Structure formats: structure tokens, C-alpha cells
Amino acid sequence: MLALLPLLRTRWGRRAGSLGAVVRPGAAGAGAGPRGAMSLYRTEARGPPRSPGFRLFFKNEAGHYISPFHDIPLKVDSIEENGIPTKRARNGEYENLFNMVVEIPRWTNAKMEIATEEPLNPIKPDIKDGKLRYVANIFPHKGYIWNYGALPQTWEDPRRKDKSTDCCGDDDPIDVCEIGSKVLSRGEVIRVKILGVLALIDQGETDWKLIAINVNDPEASKFHDIEDVKKYKPGYLEATLNWFRLYKVPDGKPENQFAFNGEFKSKAFALEVIKSTHECWKALLMKKCDGGAINCTNVQVCDSPFHCTQEEARSLVESVSSSPNEESNEEEHVWHFLGK
């Protein structure tokens, strides 16, 4: 089996052997463009589905447990052969390609998230008062209206005030709304083009929502910036804004607020946001900032103080247990009409 080699450089700077993805040379995508990202990763479920103890762990192509938060590379073009970036990776066409971890498939309601405070950060159910959380159905929608997930190797620092929103981060990886035509699966790792971003302000915290499209979507070639979403999917951005504005109202909470009066910002703006959150993640992994309760255990960021061996990672996963008799609460099939 070929050895895993650290990348020499990433799109945004320093050696990535210390702060970035480790990718097997010759792996799918190394010289074949953006297809086949999921072939590099697979998932392993532990615990009963639809229970508080359910966890979805990630493995790399070699079958080793990894963190989807810390070990999956942010950038798709950070792939090398024999330590040298491939020609395709250097092409401008690939400069706007990022890996996305799918947490919640479109049209589903269960709130699932990367467990930022647990070792190896599996996907887990969001729990409140001991019960599974489900997003409400609000007319005319069913559940989430996009494939929802996050960009790995990003972090919205809750102690760092964003200059453009004047609010601190929400302590999570940056969220992504994938607008392609396919309903994806939980745990898929796909390659997306970034098109723009919305700045949700949630209880005084900045909660960026990237708008992106799967590069393998049949219509992906049409989309290059946020204006293309308005042109080719009319009404989708308005529906997205209303969804985020209202989704907590059925739970008795007020409508959400937005920076920039709810304006969707451009791809260029979004890329700067990603760059900033990636730098925050680097500081987090090197223990150069206060990460609070964030668990930074990783397998592939070799000179991070939080690095662990493959054997230690396996032991961490095997120590996870949940009772098969755990109580779960089923989703309520209710539709809310929030008329004015």
C-alpha cells in the first residue's frame, strides 16, 4: 500500500504537511479532475439510527479513521503527485473547488452536525433537552431545501469579531448550502464550486451560509457566481433567505436577522470569508488560540499538538458505545403556515 504523503503547499500558504490534508498519491482526482471525491472517504455508523447515541465516523481510502473536521482537506486543488501539484490542480478552473461534508440531505428534517467537541468529530444528532431535534416544515417547504453541510478545515472563531458583520463567529465549521439537482447522502464528501454567501446573525453571532453547487451536477458549468443562481434558479435565493429567517419561529423563537440587510454577497467575498475561517482553523490546530471545548484530535496534521496515531484513533472509535435500547423521539410530521 502506498504511503500517505503530506502536501507541500496549499492554496493559501504554508506547508500543508503540518496544516492540511494528507492524500495518497495517485488517488482518485489526483490527475482526473474533480470527480470521485467520495471514493477517498467512507463512513462507519455506530449506535442505533435515530437515537442520541448515533455516530457516523469517517475513514480515508486506506481504511484509517480520520476527523472530517480536521483531516479532510479544504481545497480540492491541494492534491499532488510525488509532492508536485498536478497541472490540472494548477489550472484556474480548479481554484474555486472545495471539499464539502454533507451533514443533512435535502428534504430531510433531522438536525445532524459534525460533533466539534468529540474525538475525531463524527456526525451526530443535534440534541436538546435529551431529545433529537428536527427542523420544522414551513410552507411551502419540506425540511432542508438544499443539501446542507460544512467545509472541513474551517472554524468561525467565537472570540474573533468579524469586521464586516461586527459579530463574533459561531464556534463551528462554516456552513454550506449545496443547490445542485441531486439529493445527496449523509456523510458524502463532494467537491463544490462556491457561488456566494449569506451572513445570518444568530443570537449575536455570525453564522455564514455559503451557497455552492456540486461540480458533478449536470448544470454546474452554468454557475460561476451568485448572479448565476438568480438567473438559472429564480426564486431559490429568496426561498433560502426566508427559510433561514423563519425556521426557528415554530419553536417559539423570533425571526433570525442578517447582516447586509439579507443581501447575498459575491463569490469573491465568500472566498475571503473561507480564507479567514481557514486561518482561524490553522490557529486552532496549532494551539495558537483558545479553542474552548473544541476537540482537535486529528490523524494527519502531523505537527499539531493534537495529532494522534492511527491506533489511538481506532481505540477512540471502539470506545464509543450506546445502548440499543436508547429512547428516541420520532419526527413530528407537521406543516407550518406562517402567513403575515
Side-chain angles (χ1 to χ4, degrees):
M1 184 178 295
L2 293 174
L4 294 171
L5 296 178
L7 303 179
L8 293 180
R9 303 192 65 82
T10 63
R11 171 78 172 88
W12 286 317
R14 69 185 74 176
R15 285 182 58 85
S18 57
L19 283 170
V22 179
V23 182
R24 186 173 71 84
R35 296 187 181 276
M38 190 55 199
S39 64
L40 296 176
Y41 308 101
R42 54 194 175 95
T43 56
E44 178 181 299
R46 292 203 165 226
R50 296 182 297 279
S51 74
F54 175 79
R55 296 294 183 271
L56 193 65
F57 286 93
F58 285 71
K59 289 183 174 182
N60 61 16
E61 191 180 23
H64 300 139
Y65 291 107
I66 61 169
S67 162
F69 186 2
H70 306 305
D71 291 321
I72 294 176
L74 170 63
K75 289 285 293 178
V76 169
D77 69 358
S78 59
I79 294 176
E80 303 186 356
E81 288 182 299
N82 301 321
I84 302 172
T86 64
K87 289 183 179 179
R88 277 184 175 269
R90 288 196 297 264
N91 286 345
E93 178 185 357
Y94 291 93
E95 290 185 0
N96 180 27
L97 296 187
F98 296 84
N99 284 313
M100 171 189 173
V101 178
V102 178
E103 297 166 308
I104 306 171
R106 181 188 278 116
W107 309 137
T108 64
N109 297 69
K111 291 176 68 66
M112 307 289 288
E113 60 187 6
I114 290 174
T116 59
E117 298 182 8
E118 296 183 12
L120 296 181
N121 316 112
I123 291 178
K124 72 174 185 68
D126 191 6
I127 307 292
K128 184 175 182 181
D129 298 328
K131 294 183 178 292
L132 304 179
R133 296 184 67 191
Y134 298 93
V135 74
N137 296 313
I138 299 177
F139 180 86
H141 307 301
K142 167 68 172 73
Y144 286 76
I145 64 174
W146 347 256
N147 296 296
Y148 194 70
L151 293 189
Q153 298 188 343
T154 62
W155 180 54
E156 298 187 56
D157 188 343
R159 297 163 185 82
R160 179 177 176 180
K161 184 172 289 189
D162 187 279
K163 293 180 181 179
S164 61
T165 65
D166 201 35
C167 294
C168 294
D170 72 344
D171 206 21
D172 282 322
I174 194 167
D175 296 323
V176 188
C177 303
E178 192 280 319
I179 65 169
S181 56
K182 184 181 178 182
V183 176
L184 301 172
S185 299
R186 180 170 299 115
E188 275 195 75
V189 180
I190 64 166
R191 294 166 178 182
V192 296
K193 291 198 294 188
I194 302 300
L195 305 173
V197 67
L198 176 69
L200 173 66
I201 305 300
D202 187 355
Q203 297 181 331
E205 297 176 336
T206 305
D207 188 3
W208 295 106
K209 306 296 182 184
L210 293 167
I211 307 300
I213 190 166
N214 188 341
V215 296
N216 290 330
D217 189 87
E219 296 186 318
S221 61
K222 295 181 180 179
F223 292 85
H224 306 285
D225 213 320
I226 199 68
E227 293 300 321
D228 295 317
V229 184
K230 299 175 184 178
K231 179 178 180 180
Y232 294 111
K233 292 183 181 285
Y236 206 170
L237 294 182
E238 291 83 355
T240 295
L241 184 68
N242 281 329
W243 193 98
F244 280 118
R245 181 170 59 87
L246 297 173
Y247 81 99
K248 292 184 178 180
V249 171
D251 295 329
K253 296 181 179 179
E255 294 183 1
N256 278 323
Q257 303 299 312
F258 304 90
F260 317 117
N261 294 316
E263 174 191 355
F264 286 84
K265 307 300 282 186
S266 69
K267 175 184 74 175
F269 188 100
L271 293 179
E272 287 301 312
V273 171
I274 296 171
K275 181 177 180 179
S276 174
T277 58
H278 183 53
E279 292 299 322
C280 289
W281 171 83
K282 287 181 180 181
L284 176 71
L285 262 284
M286 295 309 293
K287 211 171 183 179
K288 293 183 177 179
C289 65
D290 182 3
I294 297 290
N295 192 298
C296 298
T297 303
N298 67 85
V299 180
Q300 298 180 172
V301 187
C302 300
D303 45 352
S304 165
F306 305 102
H307 177 264
C308 75
T309 66
Q310 295 165 6
E311 292 74 19
E312 289 169 334
R314 187 184 309 112
S315 295
L316 286 170
V317 175
E318 291 173 350
S319 69
V320 173
S321 63
S322 60
S323 168
N325 299 318
E326 274 187 323
E327 291 186 9
S328 63
N329 54 298
E330 291 295 328
E331 168 187 352
E332 290 186 6
H333 296 282
V334 177
W335 211 6
H336 300 270
F337 189 93
L338 303 179
K340 289 293 184 181

PDB file of all heavy atoms in Angstrom, residues 50 100 138 142 153 164 171 217 233 281 289:
ATOM      1  N   ARG A  50     -31.401   7.223  14.474  1.00  0.00           N
ATOM      2  CA  ARG A  50     -32.470   7.995  15.129  1.00  0.00           C
ATOM      3  C   ARG A  50     -32.439   7.816  16.642  1.00  0.00           C
ATOM      4  O   ARG A  50     -33.485   7.666  17.293  1.00  0.00           O
ATOM      5  CB  ARG A  50     -33.849   7.624  14.558  1.00  0.00           C
ATOM      6  CG  ARG A  50     -34.012   7.978  13.097  1.00  0.00           C
ATOM      7  CD  ARG A  50     -35.391   7.649  12.582  1.00  0.00           C
ATOM      8  NE  ARG A  50     -35.666   6.212  12.649  1.00  0.00           N
ATOM      9  CZ  ARG A  50     -35.244   5.333  11.749  1.00  0.00           C
ATOM     10  NH1 ARG A  50     -34.532   5.740  10.707  1.00  0.00           N
ATOM     11  NH2 ARG A  50     -35.531   4.048  11.883  1.00  0.00           N
ATOM     12  N   MET A 100     -16.724  19.440   0.524  1.00  0.00           N
ATOM     13  CA  MET A 100     -17.867  19.682   1.410  1.00  0.00           C
ATOM     14  C   MET A 100     -18.265  18.363   2.050  1.00  0.00           C
ATOM     15  O   MET A 100     -18.358  17.335   1.381  1.00  0.00           O
ATOM     16  CB  MET A 100     -19.054  20.238   0.618  1.00  0.00           C
ATOM     17  CG  MET A 100     -20.358  20.316   1.415  1.00  0.00           C
ATOM     18  SD  MET A 100     -21.765  20.737   0.352  1.00  0.00           S
ATOM     19  CE  MET A 100     -23.137  20.530   1.526  1.00  0.00           C
ATOM     20  N   ILE A 138     -42.006  24.271   6.977  1.00  0.00           N
ATOM     21  CA  ILE A 138     -42.673  25.562   6.849  1.00  0.00           C
ATOM     22  C   ILE A 138     -43.122  25.737   5.401  1.00  0.00           C
ATOM     23  O   ILE A 138     -42.306  25.651   4.478  1.00  0.00           O
ATOM     24  CB  ILE A 138     -41.749  26.718   7.264  1.00  0.00           C
ATOM     25  CG1 ILE A 138     -41.330  26.548   8.734  1.00  0.00           C
ATOM     26  CG2 ILE A 138     -42.426  28.066   7.056  1.00  0.00           C
ATOM     27  CD1 ILE A 138     -40.353  27.595   9.216  1.00  0.00           C
ATOM     28  N   LYS A 142     -40.368  21.303   2.580  1.00  0.00           N
ATOM     29  CA  LYS A 142     -40.249  20.093   3.406  1.00  0.00           C
ATOM     30  C   LYS A 142     -38.800  19.976   3.856  1.00  0.00           C
ATOM     31  O   LYS A 142     -37.892  19.760   3.064  1.00  0.00           O
ATOM     32  CB  LYS A 142     -40.648  18.864   2.595  1.00  0.00           C
ATOM     33  CG  LYS A 142     -40.255  17.511   3.245  1.00  0.00           C
ATOM     34  CD  LYS A 142     -41.053  17.237   4.506  1.00  0.00           C
ATOM     35  CE  LYS A 142     -40.781  15.812   5.025  1.00  0.00           C
ATOM     36  NZ  LYS A 142     -39.445  15.656   5.641  1.00  0.00           N
ATOM     37  N   GLN A 153     -11.769  21.937   7.726  1.00  0.00           N
ATOM     38  CA  GLN A 153     -10.611  22.805   7.971  1.00  0.00           C
ATOM     39  C   GLN A 153     -10.979  24.292   7.946  1.00  0.00           C
ATOM     40  O   GLN A 153     -10.214  25.142   7.500  1.00  0.00           O
ATOM     41  CB  GLN A 153      -9.490  22.502   6.970  1.00  0.00           C
ATOM     42  CG  GLN A 153      -8.972  21.074   7.090  1.00  0.00           C
ATOM     43  CD  GLN A 153      -7.743  20.789   6.253  1.00  0.00           C
ATOM     44  OE1 GLN A 153      -7.416  21.530   5.337  1.00  0.00           O
ATOM     45  NE2 GLN A 153      -7.052  19.713   6.571  1.00  0.00           N
ATOM     46  N   SER A 164     -16.754  42.743   8.925  1.00  0.00           N
ATOM     47  CA  SER A 164     -17.875  43.105   8.054  1.00  0.00           C
ATOM     48  C   SER A 164     -19.234  42.977   8.738  1.00  0.00           C
ATOM     49  O   SER A 164     -20.190  43.645   8.351  1.00  0.00           O
ATOM     50  CB  SER A 164     -17.862  42.245   6.780  1.00  0.00           C
ATOM     51  OG  SER A 164     -17.985  40.875   7.094  1.00  0.00           O
ATOM     52  N   ASP A 171     -18.500  29.338  16.427  1.00  0.00           N
ATOM     53  CA  ASP A 171     -17.765  28.213  17.012  1.00  0.00           C
ATOM     54  C   ASP A 171     -17.931  26.914  16.229  1.00  0.00           C
ATOM     55  O   ASP A 171     -17.762  25.832  16.777  1.00  0.00           O
ATOM     56  CB  ASP A 171     -18.202  27.988  18.471  1.00  0.00           C
ATOM     57  CG  ASP A 171     -17.125  27.320  19.328  1.00  0.00           C
ATOM     58  OD1 ASP A 171     -15.944  27.391  18.956  1.00  0.00           O
ATOM     59  OD2 ASP A 171     -17.478  26.724  20.364  1.00  0.00           O
ATOM     60  N   ASP A 217     -22.752  18.219 -10.777  1.00  0.00           N
ATOM     61  CA  ASP A 217     -24.135  18.468 -11.150  1.00  0.00           C
ATOM     62  C   ASP A 217     -24.211  18.723 -12.656  1.00  0.00           C
ATOM     63  O   ASP A 217     -23.324  19.370 -13.222  1.00  0.00           O
ATOM     64  CB  ASP A 217     -24.671  19.686 -10.392  1.00  0.00           C
ATOM     65  CG  ASP A 217     -26.162  19.864 -10.578  1.00  0.00           C
ATOM     66  OD1 ASP A 217     -26.931  19.257  -9.813  1.00  0.00           O
ATOM     67  OD2 ASP A 217     -26.568  20.604 -11.509  1.00  0.00           O
ATOM     68  N   LYS A 233     -31.762  29.726 -11.397  1.00  0.00           N
ATOM     69  CA  LYS A 233     -32.666  29.155 -10.387  1.00  0.00           C
ATOM     70  C   LYS A 233     -33.456  30.289  -9.735  1.00  0.00           C
ATOM     71  O   LYS A 233     -33.315  30.554  -8.538  1.00  0.00           O
ATOM     72  CB  LYS A 233     -31.881  28.356  -9.340  1.00  0.00           C
ATOM     73  CG  LYS A 233     -31.240  27.067  -9.884  1.00  0.00           C
ATOM     74  CD  LYS A 233     -30.540  26.285  -8.789  1.00  0.00           C
ATOM     75  CE  LYS A 233     -29.877  25.022  -9.327  1.00  0.00           C
ATOM     76  NZ  LYS A 233     -30.841  23.941  -9.623  1.00  0.00           N
ATOM     77  N   TRP A 281      -8.898  28.189  11.707  1.00  0.00           N
ATOM     78  CA  TRP A 281      -8.727  26.753  11.957  1.00  0.00           C
ATOM     79  C   TRP A 281      -7.251  26.393  12.146  1.00  0.00           C
ATOM     80  O   TRP A 281      -6.906  25.597  13.022  1.00  0.00           O
ATOM     81  CB  TRP A 281      -9.322  25.959  10.793  1.00  0.00           C
ATOM     82  CG  TRP A 281      -8.995  24.503  10.866  1.00  0.00           C
ATOM     83  CD1 TRP A 281      -9.637  23.546  11.598  1.00  0.00           C
ATOM     84  CD2 TRP A 281      -7.917  23.829  10.209  1.00  0.00           C
ATOM     85  NE1 TRP A 281      -9.027  22.317  11.430  1.00  0.00           N
ATOM     86  CE2 TRP A 281      -7.969  22.466  10.581  1.00  0.00           C
ATOM     87  CE3 TRP A 281      -6.912  24.241   9.330  1.00  0.00           C
ATOM     88  CZ2 TRP A 281      -7.059  21.516  10.109  1.00  0.00           C
ATOM     89  CZ3 TRP A 281      -6.000  23.304   8.860  1.00  0.00           C
ATOM     90  CH2 TRP A 281      -6.074  21.967   9.249  1.00  0.00           C
ATOM     91  N   CYS A 289      -4.638  29.722  19.719  1.00  0.00           N
ATOM     92  CA  CYS A 289      -5.794  30.495  20.181  1.00  0.00           C
ATOM     93  C   CYS A 289      -6.578  29.609  21.143  1.00  0.00           C
ATOM     94  O   CYS A 289      -6.311  28.408  21.273  1.00  0.00           O
ATOM     95  CB  CYS A 289      -6.663  30.949  19.005  1.00  0.00           C
ATOM     96  SG  CYS A 289      -7.433  29.581  18.110  1.00  0.00           S
TER      97      CYS A 289
END
